[in-house]
Amino acid sequence: VYNAAPTWGVTVGDALGVPDPAVTQHQHQHRGQAFSFLGIRVSSPLSLVVNGKRPPGSALAPPCLALSNPSAPL
């Protein structure tokens, strides 16, 4: 689950409700083998319903800011 906190997740057997999913067909080739699978994305883990309940706010990973300046001297 993208943007989920490392301490949160779902387990085998959980009932998962996915409102407004974005379904994408992925097709890749690697070393002569073809791989095809569906991917389902949601805007946030907080929009899911797990076992009839919404995840707590702590299920969302905190934001992380990454900066780079290629022209800065080393």
Side-chain angles (χ1 to χ4, degrees):
V1 177
Y2 293 105
N3 296 323
T7 56
W8 180 85
V10 294
T11 58
V12 174
D14 282 346
L16 186 64
V18 184
D20 300 321
V23 180
T24 305
Q25 176 73 41
H26 297 271
Q27 296 180 357
H28 302 279
Q29 294 218 0
H30 180 68
R31 295 185 181 178
Q33 291 189 331
F35 300 91
S36 178
F37 59 92
L38 290 175
I40 301 173
R41 294 201 68 161
V42 293
S43 59
S44 164
L46 300 181
S47 67
L48 299 172
V49 178
V50 182
N51 298 325
K53 301 176 185 173
R54 295 274 183 188
S58 61
L60 186 61
C64 178
L65 178 62
L67 301 173
S68 66
N69 184 353
S71 62
L74 296 175

